[in-house]
Amino acid sequence: DVKVTQSSRYLVKRTGEKVFLECVQDMDHENMFWYRQDPGLGLRLIYFSYDVKMKEKGDIPEGYSVSREKKERFSLILESASTNQTSMYLCASSLSGQGIYEQYFGPGTRLTVT
Amino acid sequence: TQLLEQSPQFLSIQEGENLTVYCNSSSVFSSLQWYRQEPGEGPVLLVTVVTGGEVKKLKRLTFQFGDARKDSSLHITAAQPGDTGLYLCAGPHSGTYKYIFGTGTRLKVLA
């Protein structure tokens, strides 16, 4: 079974704090993704990585950065948290290359910024 | 731009009823995935359909991929409260690593 784990299920942070969200997958997947999910807006892609140290901006990268130093680990960083970053954050991973590559999701981190 | 529209947006039914959820696009997808997401949890992959016209069954859930690979449907027979959740369809964005997600159908099955 594919397993994607996220470091925290719930986080409460103050405005201006630096926030780290960690994601680990155990299936040797090349691709990893960070999304945020908000009511009425669906899933929106923040960043994705297709290899170690490689990253590309998604649809809403402003206010976020990422790090992928090892294949199994993908971190999302909120440089200076703001209240509009209160959201559900979802990490996912998938294989790469030709063919069918399904995304597998972690359980999510519910982040509240006060 | 590839988009996936799901209908209905919301569905509330009694236990034992049947229902169908639709996922439509004007674009061709190489595959489509269906996920179920429970409140406070991440989406869980239910199935992937690949071939036009393909039908896959998962217990009381039947998934179909349209002949032209532009649409898909999910049919649930004799719905149970445990089927409650947000159903999402998704597919790979052609030529990129990205995925397109549907707008979602929120299902509530009442006991």
Side-chain angles (χ1 to χ4, degrees):
Chain A
D1 266 2
V2 176
K3 192 131 173 114
V4 180
T5 56
Q6 294 183 228
S7 50
S8 305
R9 294 300 307 273
Y10 301 94
L11 270 181
V12 180
K13 296 291 181 181
R14 293 198 182 276
T15 302
E17 279 192 81
K18 192 167 186 175
V19 182
F20 294 86
L21 302 182
E22 299 266 303
C23 174
V24 178
Q25 51 94 3
D26 67 357
M27 284 305 293
D28 203 34
H29 284 171
E30 292 86 2
N31 297 337
M32 295 188 76
F33 306 79
W34 274 107
Y35 295 89
R36 62 179 284 178
Q37 185 177 32
D38 301 286
L41 296 176
L43 272 83
R44 293 182 290 167
L45 181 64
I46 305 171
Y47 267 97
F48 67 99
S49 168
Y50 51 90
D51 202 350
V52 174
K53 296 192 188 292
M54 306 303 288
K55 61 187 179 187
E56 282 201 24
K57 292 180 180 179
D59 301 317
I60 51 163
E62 297 78 20
Y64 303 94
S65 62
V66 290
S67 171
R68 192 161 180 206
E69 298 296 319
K70 293 186 177 182
K71 191 175 185 180
E72 67 271 17
R73 191 178 297 267
F74 192 33
S75 301
L76 179 70
I77 302 145
L78 286 66
E79 297 291 343
S80 177
S82 63
T83 54
N84 63 13
Q85 292 178 310
T86 291
S87 186
M88 172 70 138
Y89 288 88
L90 292 163
C91 175
S93 72
S94 75
L95 287 169
S96 186
Q98 298 298 318
I100 310 306
Y101 25 96
E102 300 138 331
Q103 283 199 318
Y104 293 88
F105 284 86
T109 296
R110 171 74 63 187
L111 172 67
T112 302
V113 183
T114 61
Chain B
T1 304
Q2 289 179 289
L3 290 173
L4 285 169
E5 297 278 347
Q6 287 185 241
S7 61
Q9 259 192 298
F10 301 96
L11 195 51
S12 181
I13 60 171
Q14 293 292 325
E15 184 176 4
E17 290 184 22
N18 301 333
L19 67 116
T20 303
V21 173
Y22 299 93
C23 173
N24 294 301
S25 176
S26 57
S27 306
V28 174
F29 281 83
S30 58
S31 67
L32 279 180
Q33 286 83 44
W34 282 94
Y35 295 85
R36 179 170 63 220
Q37 184 178 20
E38 297 184 18
E41 300 290 332
V44 173
L45 180 66
L46 297 174
V47 78
T48 295
V49 287
V50 177
T51 308
E54 181 177 9
V55 176
K56 280 193 173 178
K57 292 196 175 188
L58 187 68
K59 297 183 182 177
R60 294 175 294 100
L61 278 60
T62 302
F63 304 85
Q64 186 160 6
F65 203 12
D67 292 340
R69 290 186 289 133
K70 291 183 178 181
D71 55 85
S72 182
S73 63
L74 156 61
H75 182 79
I76 301 179
T77 303
Q80 297 177 0
D83 297 325
T84 292
L86 176 67
Y87 288 81
L88 293 164
C89 63
H93 188 287
S94 62
T96 78
Y97 296 101
K98 297 182 182 182
Y99 286 76
I100 307 296
F101 283 87
T103 46
T105 293
R106 195 166 294 279
L107 171 66
K108 187 165 187 176
V109 182
L110 304 167

